[in-house]
Protein backbone atom coordinates (compact mmCIF):
# COMPACT_ATOMS: atom_id res chain seq x y z
CA UNK A 1 0.00 0.00 0.00
CA UNK A 2 1.40 3.35 -1.06
CA UNK A 3 1.33 6.55 1.02
CA UNK A 4 -0.39 9.61 -0.44
CA UNK A 5 1.70 11.48 -2.99
CA UNK A 6 3.54 8.32 -3.97
CA UNK A 7 3.56 6.85 -7.46
CA UNK A 8 4.75 3.54 -8.80
CA UNK A 9 7.95 3.67 -10.85
CA UNK A 10 5.88 2.97 -14.00
CA UNK A 11 3.30 5.70 -13.23
CA UNK A 12 6.11 8.15 -12.60
CA UNK A 13 7.77 7.38 -15.93
CA UNK A 14 4.43 7.76 -17.75
CA UNK A 15 4.28 11.47 -16.83
CA UNK A 16 5.42 13.13 -20.04
CA UNK A 17 5.89 16.69 -18.77
CA UNK A 18 7.55 15.76 -15.49
CA UNK A 19 11.11 16.41 -14.40
CA UNK A 20 12.79 13.52 -12.60
CA UNK A 21 15.39 13.50 -9.84
CA UNK A 22 16.96 10.39 -8.28
CA UNK A 23 18.77 10.29 -4.93
CA UNK A 24 20.20 7.44 -2.87
CA UNK A 25 20.85 6.66 0.78
CA UNK A 26 24.11 4.70 1.01
CA UNK A 27 24.78 2.95 4.30
CA UNK A 28 26.77 0.24 6.02
CA UNK A 29 27.01 -1.41 9.41
CA UNK A 30 29.99 -0.53 11.61
CA UNK A 31 31.35 -2.09 14.80
CA UNK A 32 33.07 1.17 15.79
CA UNK A 33 32.26 3.17 18.92
CA UNK A 34 32.43 6.89 19.58
CA UNK A 35 34.72 7.65 22.56
CA UNK A 36 35.03 3.90 23.01
CA UNK A 37 31.56 3.52 24.55
CA UNK A 38 28.86 4.86 22.21
CA UNK A 39 28.00 2.43 19.41
CA UNK A 40 27.97 4.19 16.02
CA UNK A 41 26.05 1.19 14.57
CA UNK A 42 25.72 2.42 10.98
CA UNK A 43 27.40 4.80 8.57
CA UNK A 44 24.80 6.76 6.54
CA UNK A 45 26.13 9.18 3.93
CA UNK A 46 24.58 12.58 3.29
CA UNK A 47 26.07 15.68 1.75
CA UNK A 48 26.26 19.41 2.39
CA UNK A 49 24.96 20.83 -0.88
CA UNK A 50 25.96 24.02 -2.71
CA UNK A 51 22.74 25.65 -1.41
CA UNK A 52 23.67 25.07 2.25
CA UNK A 53 21.09 22.32 2.68
CA UNK A 54 21.69 18.70 3.61
CA UNK A 55 20.62 16.08 1.07
CA UNK A 56 21.35 12.73 -0.46
CA UNK A 57 23.71 12.25 -3.41
CA UNK A 58 21.98 12.17 -6.79
CA UNK A 59 20.30 14.65 -9.12
CA UNK A 60 18.27 15.34 -12.20
CA UNK A 61 17.77 12.49 -14.68
CA UNK A 62 16.23 12.61 -18.16
CA UNK A 63 14.36 9.32 -18.71
CA UNK A 64 14.21 10.05 -22.46
CA UNK A 65 17.98 9.65 -22.62
CA UNK A 66 18.84 7.14 -19.87
CA UNK A 67 17.15 4.87 -17.36
CA UNK A 68 16.52 6.37 -13.92
CA UNK A 69 19.16 4.07 -12.45
CA UNK A 70 21.77 4.85 -15.13
CA UNK A 71 21.13 8.56 -14.56
CA UNK A 72 21.52 8.15 -10.81
CA UNK A 73 24.75 6.19 -11.34
CA UNK A 74 26.01 9.05 -13.55
CA UNK A 75 25.14 11.65 -10.88
CA UNK A 76 26.97 9.55 -8.28
CA UNK A 77 30.09 9.42 -10.44
CA UNK A 78 30.04 13.26 -10.60
CA UNK A 79 29.20 13.88 -6.94
CA UNK A 80 31.07 10.98 -5.31
CA UNK A 81 33.81 10.20 -7.81
CA UNK A 82 33.06 6.47 -7.88
CA UNK A 83 31.38 4.01 -10.25
CA UNK A 84 28.51 2.74 -8.09
CA UNK A 85 25.90 0.91 -10.17
CA UNK A 86 22.38 1.43 -8.81
CA UNK A 87 19.70 -1.07 -9.90
CA UNK A 88 15.90 -1.19 -9.99
CA UNK A 89 15.98 -3.41 -6.86
CA UNK A 90 17.43 -0.49 -4.89
CA UNK A 91 14.34 1.67 -5.66
CA UNK A 92 12.26 2.57 -2.57
CA UNK A 93 9.61 5.01 -3.80
CA UNK A 94 8.73 7.81 -6.20
CA UNK A 95 6.83 10.93 -5.14
CA UNK A 96 5.63 14.22 -6.53
CA UNK A 97 7.72 16.97 -4.96
CA UNK A 98 5.58 19.30 -2.80
CA UNK A 99 4.09 22.21 -4.77
CA UNK A 100 6.11 24.62 -2.59
CA UNK A 101 9.36 23.25 -4.03
CA UNK A 102 11.09 25.84 -6.23
CA UNK A 103 11.67 23.22 -8.96
CA UNK A 104 8.01 22.27 -9.35
CA UNK A 105 6.15 24.77 -11.50
CA UNK A 106 2.79 23.48 -12.77
CA UNK A 107 4.27 22.99 -16.28
CA UNK A 108 7.21 20.88 -15.13
CA UNK A 109 6.37 19.04 -11.92
CA UNK A 110 9.29 17.32 -10.26
CA UNK A 111 9.10 13.64 -9.37
CA UNK A 112 11.71 12.47 -6.88
CA UNK A 113 12.83 8.84 -6.93
CA UNK A 114 14.45 7.49 -3.79
CA UNK A 115 16.85 4.56 -3.58
CA UNK A 116 18.67 2.77 -0.75
CA UNK A 117 21.84 0.72 -1.12
CA UNK A 118 23.63 -1.20 1.62
CA UNK A 119 27.40 -1.48 1.31
CA UNK A 120 30.38 -2.85 3.20
CA UNK A 121 32.04 -0.43 5.64
CA UNK A 122 35.30 -0.45 3.61
CA UNK A 123 33.38 0.47 0.44
CA UNK A 124 31.56 3.38 2.06
CA UNK A 125 34.82 4.74 3.49
CA UNK A 126 36.27 4.51 -0.03
CA UNK A 127 33.26 6.50 -1.33
CA UNK A 128 33.89 9.24 1.26
CA UNK A 129 37.55 9.36 0.29
CA UNK A 130 36.79 9.67 -3.43
CA UNK A 131 34.05 12.27 -2.81
CA UNK A 132 36.57 14.75 -1.41
CA UNK A 133 39.44 13.91 -3.78
CA UNK A 134 38.52 12.74 -7.29
CA UNK A 135 34.83 13.77 -7.54
CA UNK A 136 34.38 16.52 -10.16
CA UNK A 137 31.57 18.19 -8.16
CA UNK A 138 33.62 18.46 -4.95
CA UNK A 139 33.85 22.06 -3.79
CA UNK A 140 31.20 23.20 -6.26
CA UNK A 141 27.85 21.36 -6.15
CA UNK A 142 28.96 19.30 -3.15
CA UNK A 143 30.63 21.07 -0.23
CA UNK A 144 31.27 17.93 1.80
CA UNK A 145 30.06 14.52 2.85
CA UNK A 146 28.56 14.02 6.31
CA UNK A 147 27.70 10.96 8.34
CA UNK A 148 24.43 10.87 10.27
CA UNK A 149 24.86 10.42 14.05
CA UNK A 150 22.32 7.76 15.06
CA UNK A 151 22.86 7.87 18.82
CA UNK A 152 21.51 10.18 21.51
CA UNK A 153 24.02 11.21 24.16
CA UNK A 154 23.24 11.99 27.81
CA UNK A 155 22.93 15.74 27.19
CA UNK A 156 20.93 15.18 23.99
CA UNK A 157 23.69 15.40 21.38
CA UNK A 158 23.49 13.22 18.28
CA UNK A 159 20.49 12.51 16.08
CA UNK A 160 18.25 15.25 17.55
CA UNK A 161 20.57 18.18 16.72
CA UNK A 162 21.37 16.60 13.34
CA UNK A 163 17.66 16.53 12.42
CA UNK A 164 17.32 20.20 13.42
CA UNK A 165 19.43 21.27 10.41
CA UNK A 166 17.83 22.33 7.11
CA UNK A 167 17.30 19.68 4.42
CA UNK A 168 16.53 19.86 0.68
CA UNK A 169 13.09 18.72 -0.52
CA UNK A 170 11.93 15.61 1.30
CA UNK A 171 15.43 14.47 2.32
CA UNK A 172 14.64 14.78 6.05
CA UNK A 173 11.56 12.56 5.84
CA UNK A 174 13.35 10.16 3.47
CA UNK A 175 16.04 9.82 6.17
CA UNK A 176 13.55 9.36 9.03
CA UNK A 177 11.43 6.85 7.07
CA UNK A 178 14.56 4.87 6.18
CA UNK A 179 15.80 4.79 9.78
CA UNK A 180 12.53 3.14 10.80
CA UNK A 181 12.04 0.91 7.77
CA UNK A 182 15.61 -0.45 7.85
CA UNK A 183 15.62 -0.72 11.65
CA UNK A 184 18.68 1.53 11.98
CA UNK A 185 17.32 3.31 15.08
CA UNK A 186 14.79 2.03 17.63
CA UNK A 187 11.40 3.78 17.25
CA UNK A 188 11.48 5.19 20.80
CA UNK A 189 15.02 6.57 20.28
CA UNK A 190 13.92 8.17 17.02
CA UNK A 191 10.88 9.66 18.72
CA UNK A 192 13.11 11.19 21.41
CA UNK A 193 15.47 12.62 18.76
CA UNK A 194 12.55 14.11 16.78
CA UNK A 195 11.22 15.77 19.94
CA UNK A 196 14.65 17.24 20.66
CA UNK A 197 15.07 18.49 17.08
CA UNK A 198 11.79 20.42 17.34
CA UNK A 199 12.78 21.95 20.71
CA UNK A 200 16.05 23.20 19.20
CA UNK A 201 14.09 25.15 16.57
CA UNK A 202 11.67 26.63 19.09
CA UNK A 203 14.59 28.27 20.96
CA UNK A 204 15.98 30.16 17.93
N1 LIG B 1 13.99 14.92 -1.93
C1 LIG B 1 13.24 15.63 -2.76
N2 LIG B 1 13.72 16.47 -3.66
C2 LIG B 1 15.04 16.60 -3.71
C3 LIG B 1 15.91 15.87 -2.87
C4 LIG B 1 15.32 15.02 -1.95
N3 LIG B 1 16.06 14.27 -1.11
N4 LIG B 1 17.17 16.20 -3.17
C5 LIG B 1 17.08 17.11 -4.15
N5 LIG B 1 15.82 17.35 -4.47
C6 LIG B 1 15.30 18.22 -5.51
C7 LIG B 1 15.86 19.60 -5.41
O1 LIG B 1 14.81 20.56 -5.34
C8 LIG B 1 16.68 19.77 -6.66
O2 LIG B 1 16.40 20.98 -7.32
O3 LIG B 1 15.70 17.65 -6.74
C9 LIG B 1 16.28 18.63 -7.56
C10 LIG B 1 17.48 18.04 -8.28
O4 LIG B 1 18.37 17.46 -7.35
P1 LIG B 1 19.89 17.98 -7.24
O5 LIG B 1 20.65 16.92 -6.52
O6 LIG B 1 19.91 19.35 -6.69
O7 LIG B 1 20.27 18.09 -8.78
P2 LIG B 1 21.64 17.92 -9.59
O8 LIG B 1 21.29 17.31 -10.90
O9 LIG B 1 22.67 17.24 -8.75
O10 LIG B 1 22.08 19.41 -9.93
C11 LIG B 1 22.38 20.35 -8.97
O11 LIG B 1 22.96 22.17 -10.48
O12 LIG B 1 22.49 22.79 -12.69
C12 LIG B 1 22.31 23.10 -11.34
O13 LIG B 1 20.45 24.30 -10.48
C13 LIG B 1 20.83 23.05 -11.01
O14 LIG B 1 19.78 22.23 -8.97
C14 LIG B 1 20.67 21.93 -10.00
C15 LIG B 1 22.08 21.74 -9.45
MG1 LIG C 1 24.59 16.51 -9.49
MG1 LIG D 1 22.76 16.52 -6.76
Amino acid sequence: QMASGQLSRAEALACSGCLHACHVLLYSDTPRQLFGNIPIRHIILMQMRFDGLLGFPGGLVNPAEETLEAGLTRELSEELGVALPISVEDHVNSCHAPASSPSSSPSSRLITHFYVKKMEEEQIIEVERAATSTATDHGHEVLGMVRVPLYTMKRGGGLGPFLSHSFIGSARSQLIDSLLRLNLVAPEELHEALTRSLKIHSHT
Side-chain angles (χ1 to χ4, degrees), residues 58-60 75 78-79 137 141:
L60 294 170
E75 279 290 334
E78 296 166 7
E79 297 186 358
D137 285 350
E141 292 189 27

Short mmCIF file of all heavy atoms in Angstrom, two decimals, residues 58-60 75 78-79 137 141, ligand 2:
data_model
loop_
_atom_site.label_atom_id
_atom_site.label_comp_id
_atom_site.label_asym_id
_atom_site.label_seq_id
_atom_site.Cartn_x
_atom_site.Cartn_y
_atom_site.Cartn_z
N GLY A 58 22.87 12.46 -5.67
CA GLY A 58 21.98 12.17 -6.79
C GLY A 58 21.64 13.45 -7.50
O GLY A 58 22.25 14.49 -7.23
N GLY A 59 20.67 13.43 -8.40
CA GLY A 59 20.30 14.65 -9.12
C GLY A 59 19.32 14.40 -10.23
O GLY A 59 18.65 13.37 -10.28
N LEU A 60 19.25 15.37 -11.13
CA LEU A 60 18.27 15.34 -12.20
C LEU A 60 18.64 14.28 -13.24
O LEU A 60 19.80 14.13 -13.61
CB LEU A 60 18.19 16.71 -12.87
CG LEU A 60 17.63 17.83 -11.98
CD1 LEU A 60 17.81 19.18 -12.66
CD2 LEU A 60 16.16 17.59 -11.66
N GLU A 75 25.07 10.58 -11.89
CA GLU A 75 25.14 11.65 -10.88
C GLU A 75 26.10 11.27 -9.76
O GLU A 75 26.84 12.12 -9.26
CB GLU A 75 23.75 11.93 -10.31
CG GLU A 75 22.88 12.84 -11.16
CD GLU A 75 23.36 14.29 -11.19
OE1 GLU A 75 24.03 14.73 -10.24
OE2 GLU A 75 23.10 14.98 -12.19
N GLU A 78 29.67 11.84 -10.66
CA GLU A 78 30.04 13.26 -10.60
C GLU A 78 30.20 13.74 -9.15
O GLU A 78 31.13 14.46 -8.83
CB GLU A 78 28.96 14.11 -11.29
CG GLU A 78 28.81 13.85 -12.78
CD GLU A 78 27.52 14.46 -13.35
OE1 GLU A 78 26.81 15.19 -12.62
OE2 GLU A 78 27.23 14.18 -14.51
N GLU A 79 29.24 13.33 -8.30
CA GLU A 79 29.20 13.88 -6.94
C GLU A 79 30.08 13.11 -5.95
O GLU A 79 30.51 13.66 -4.94
CB GLU A 79 27.76 13.91 -6.44
CG GLU A 79 26.87 14.83 -7.28
CD GLU A 79 25.46 15.01 -6.73
OE1 GLU A 79 25.11 14.40 -5.70
OE2 GLU A 79 24.72 15.77 -7.35
N ASP A 137 32.46 17.21 -8.78
CA ASP A 137 31.57 18.19 -8.16
C ASP A 137 32.06 18.68 -6.80
O ASP A 137 31.46 19.58 -6.21
CB ASP A 137 30.16 17.60 -7.98
CG ASP A 137 29.40 17.52 -9.28
OD1 ASP A 137 29.88 18.09 -10.29
OD2 ASP A 137 28.31 16.90 -9.30
N GLU A 141 29.22 21.77 -6.48
CA GLU A 141 27.85 21.36 -6.15
C GLU A 141 27.79 20.64 -4.81
O GLU A 141 26.75 20.61 -4.16
CB GLU A 141 27.29 20.47 -7.26
CG GLU A 141 27.06 21.25 -8.55
CD GLU A 141 26.30 20.44 -9.59
OE1 GLU A 141 25.53 19.54 -9.22
OE2 GLU A 141 26.51 20.71 -10.78
MG1 LIG B 2 24.59 16.51 -9.49
#
